[in-house]
Amino acid sequence: MRWDIALFKFPSPLTRAEEADHAPLLPLGALADVHAAILGHFPGTDWSDPAWGCWEEDWDSIEFNLGDDDPADSLMLHVRAGPDVVPRIQALCREQGWTAIDCASNTFLGQD
């Protein structure tokens, strides 16, 4: 599967993904803190380019497009993996207070 997922942090929970278009954003955190959070759920992520992390495991991969802003205000995941990575992304988001939105369906990640 191939899909893109946008991660944001909002001051209060959203009830619908469409609300993200007009909701105020909070920073995800300092670049170093975001790197550490991702490494906690996706060990081995290559952050040799601090703006662009690459994780690979077996046949799965995720490119983490973080950008250069510090603190980071959003994160784009370019996922090339099966659905088994979804719970890992959701766990990362729960731990950090981030919201994951599937860009293709404009729904929360994992929402049916």
Side-chain angles (χ1 to χ4, degrees):
M1 294 177 67
R2 296 176 179 235
W3 73 100
D4 294 326
I5 300 165
L7 304 185
F8 304 101
K9 187 170 188 174
F10 300 104
S12 58
L14 304 179
T15 56
R16 295 185 346 263
E18 296 84 16
E19 295 173 334
D21 293 340
H22 305 288
L25 291 177
L26 296 174
L28 297 177
L31 289 179
D33 294 336
V34 174
H35 292 175
I38 291 168
L39 284 166
H41 292 270
F42 296 92
T45 299
D46 177 1
W47 287 107
S48 53
D49 177 349
W52 195 269
C54 296
W55 172 82
E56 294 182 3
E57 184 177 273
D58 299 326
W59 298 101
D60 297 334
S61 70
I62 300 176
E63 295 175 351
F64 297 93
N65 184 354
L66 188 55
D68 295 319
D69 293 339
D70 196 359
D73 59 2
S74 64
L75 174 62
M76 182 65 74
L77 281 61
H78 305 286
V79 180
R80 309 296 180 259
D84 55 316
V85 300
V86 170
R88 292 170 76 172
I89 296 168
Q90 289 172 319
L92 168 67
C93 290
R94 273 192 309 276
E95 180 181 281
Q96 300 300 314
W98 300 342
T99 300
I101 298 175
D102 182 324
C103 295
S105 63
N106 198 30
T107 60
F108 298 118
L109 180 64
Q111 184 180 28
D112 293 327

